[in-house]
Amino acid sequence: QVHVVESGGGLVQAGGSLRLSCAASGRTVNDYAMGWFRQAPGKERGIVAAIDWSGGTTYYADSVKGRFTISRDNGKNTVSLQMNSLKPEDTAVYYCAADSRHGIVLSSRYDYWGQGTQVTVSS
């Protein structure tokens, strides 16, 4: 069983930055695919970014390309999402997810999910 916990959310003005972190426990996730998703009020949860087990392959939703960066530290069992140039439309609950498949996973069919962290971007 893998337990993932997100942190780093908060309130920021448009144009600002936040760094979300995801810590995994229960077992190492060094060989797991990891992803970040978000869900805004009244909208479905959608993928933001994903990374394969090695960190060599990443994916970004078009809406965040060039602004967000996903990375992982397998030595610390963590995954991060650096969010720059934030916009009000980035406001959502952000979720970290882990999957036992090694390759990058773009669907929402991840094995383990965190509880989410709120990101609010004011205009």
Side-chain angles (χ1 to χ4, degrees):
Q1 185 75 13
V2 175
H3 185 57
V4 294
V5 178
E6 306 93 339
S7 62
L11 173 64
V12 64
Q13 288 189 333
S17 298
L18 281 175
R19 186 177 181 86
L20 304 184
S21 293
C22 172
S25 62
R27 63 145 285 165
T28 180
V29 293
N30 291 355
D31 55 347
Y32 277 37
M34 302 293 292
W36 284 97
F37 291 74
R38 68 185 181 187
Q39 186 169 21
K43 295 187 177 181
E44 293 188 355
R45 186 162 57 186
I47 191 168
V48 174
I51 191 167
D52 73 344
W53 72 277
S54 70
T57 302
T58 57
Y59 165 85
Y60 298 95
D62 287 343
S63 58
V64 306
K65 276 182 184 175
R67 300 188 298 123
F68 291 12
T69 303
I70 187 171
S71 60
R72 66 189 301 157
D73 185 337
N74 284 344
K76 296 182 178 179
N77 229 27
T78 59
V79 175
S80 298
L81 185 69
Q82 177 66 42
M83 306 186 296
N84 298 328
S85 302
L86 282 161
K87 304 175 181 179
E89 50 263 45
D90 294 318
T91 295
V93 177
Y94 284 71
Y95 298 89
C96 177
D99 192 272
S100 57
R101 288 169 282 183
H102 299 330
I104 199 166
V105 177
L106 302 186
S107 74
S108 61
R109 298 182 69 177
Y110 278 70
D111 295 326
Y112 306 102
W113 292 84
Q115 293 299 306
T117 185
Q118 177 70 46
V119 171
T120 303
V121 185
S122 64
S123 57

